[in-house]
């Protein structure tokens, strides 16, 4: 559902925007600019949107009020967002080197959708992790602020 409602349409729009914005004829410069724009603009938006859509879909089925959904989204984003964005910076640049240099423009969304099966499997796994496990993992990191208390997540 998330791919049909969100990921597919924004990927299609994003590739159209990239082709409109990046007009250089120099292949290497065009590739570098597309990779940079994709990593710095599209990935953070796509990851945030994914968690938002999933949270709304998951919480709306439990008859939760809007405040509960918003609190769940805040918890999820604060604990999982940056890890997912960093993972996207490891996965997508390698995939997009091929996409932006070899795959013809009309087939780029199709190529992206094929790889999105693997990427969305990872995001689904991350989304499905219990927030308590994520909190425990984050608190064990050496750069986690000592004495910082993480609020209990909502339960939708």
């Amino acid at each position: 559902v998330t791919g049909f409602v969100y990921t597919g349409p924004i990927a299609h729009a994003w590739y159209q925007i990239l082709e409109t914005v990046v007009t250089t004829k120099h292949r290497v410069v065009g590739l570098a600019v597309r990779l940079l724009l994709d990593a710095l603009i599209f990935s953070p938006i796509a990851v945030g949107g994914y968690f938002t859509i999933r949270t709304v879909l998951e919480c709306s089925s439990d008859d939760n009020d809007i405040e509960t959904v918003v609190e769940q989204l805040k918890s999820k984003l604060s604990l999982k967002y940056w890890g997912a964005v960093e993972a996207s910076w490891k996965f997508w640049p390698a995939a997009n080197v091929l996409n932006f240099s070899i795959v013809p423009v009309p087939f780029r969304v199709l190529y992206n959708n094929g790889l999105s099966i693997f990427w969305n499997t990872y995001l689904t796994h991350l989304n499905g992790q219990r927030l308590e496990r994520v909190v425990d993992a984050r608190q064990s990191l050496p750069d986690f602020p000592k004495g910082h208390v993480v609020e209990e997540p909502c339960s939708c």
Side-chain angles (χ1 to χ4, degrees):
V1 172
T2 307
F4 180 71
V5 171
Y6 177 70
T7 310
I10 67 162
H12 182 75
W14 175 245
Y15 286 124
Q16 287 180 333
I17 291 168
L18 273 182
E19 290 309 307
T20 303
V21 171
V22 182
T23 58
T24 182
K25 299 297 180 198
H26 194 279
R27 289 182 57 111
V28 175
V29 171
L31 174 62
V33 170
R34 284 180 181 90
L35 290 172
L36 190 64
L37 292 174
D38 192 75
L40 297 179
I41 296 172
F42 184 70
S43 287
I45 292 170
V47 167
Y50 175 87
F51 284 126
T52 301
I53 296 293
R54 287 296 303 254
T55 301
V56 168
L57 290 173
E58 291 165 1
C59 292
S60 64
S61 65
D62 294 335
D63 295 326
N64 292 301
D65 58 18
I66 190 71
E67 290 83 16
T68 303
V69 175
V70 169
E71 286 304 313
Q72 179 70 11
L73 179 60
K74 285 180 185 177
S75 294
K76 191 175 287 188
L77 289 175
S78 71
L79 295 171
K80 298 179 180 185
Y81 176 76
W82 282 113
V85 170
E86 288 173 357
S88 78
W89 292 339
K90 295 174 185 170
F91 179 82
W92 285 110
N96 282 333
V97 165
L98 295 175
N99 197 14
F100 298 144
S101 63
I102 297 173
V103 178
V105 173
F107 299 111
R108 288 184 179 168
V109 173
L110 180 62
Y111 172 84
N112 176 281
N113 288 342
L115 291 176
S116 289
I117 293 169
F118 302 104
W119 175 245
N120 288 335
T121 299
Y122 167 76
L123 284 180
T124 300
H125 168 73
L126 184 62
N127 182 65
Q129 285 182 332
R130 303 276 308 154
L131 289 178
E132 295 84 2
R133 285 182 47 209
V134 176
V135 169
D136 292 343
R138 292 270 313 268
Q139 288 176 336
S140 68
L141 295 174
D143 61 343
F144 192 83
K146 299 301 177 206
H148 180 77
V149 177
V150 179
E151 295 179 21
E152 280 295 314
C154 301
S155 60
C156 45

